[in-house]
Amino acid sequence: MALDPRDPGPEYLAFWRERHLCTLTTLRPDGSPHVAPVAVTYDPEAGVARVITNKNSTKVANIRAAAGPEGARVAVCQVDRRRWATLEGRATVRTEAAPIADAVRRYAERYERTPGPNPDRVLIEITVDRALGKT
């Protein structure tokens, strides 16, 4: 079921605030999908999903390899029994300290744990243009 990514409804937003492991799907240079477990935060007002990760990860390499001026097409998904939610959009890799710190704060809020320092941390920022799910 397609939803408005900026106003998907209260049940959908509540599901994205619960603590769930998610997946991020990126495309390898050969076009095949790469699916990795990640933690995701969703900011519907800004239309952005965020993933913090290591700059040397395969997902970052895939995004950088596929990114045009608007970013690389990706999807993040979470599932809990019959409930599921997917966010699709364009991803870019951010290396600036302020957006990474904001993403770490959001991660700590959703996942109830602050990640340790990581000098190789980057932010995958997804401009969401499609929301799907059943919550």
Side-chain angles (χ1 to χ4, degrees), residues 21-105:
L21 184 62
C22 303
T23 60
L24 169 67
T25 302
T26 60
L27 297 178
R28 295 181 183 101
D30 69 2
S32 63
H34 173 263
V35 182
V38 294
V40 178
T41 62
Y42 176 34
D43 179 357
E45 293 82 24
V48 172
R50 295 173 178 89
V51 175
I52 54 175
T53 190
N54 191 293
K55 70 180 180 182
N56 298 313
S57 68
T58 299
K59 54 192 159 286
V60 167
N62 289 343
I63 290 167
R64 286 183 166 151
E70 297 175 356
R73 197 88 190 137
V74 301
V76 290
C77 184
Q78 66 180 19
V79 63
D80 179 43
R81 296 184 180 118
R82 292 181 158 204
R83 299 182 305 159
W84 63 274
T86 298
L87 301 171
E88 297 178 11
R90 297 274 176 184
T92 56
V93 178
R94 308 274 312 261
T95 59
E96 309 92 330
I100 292 171
D102 179 56
V104 167
R105 179 189 62 76

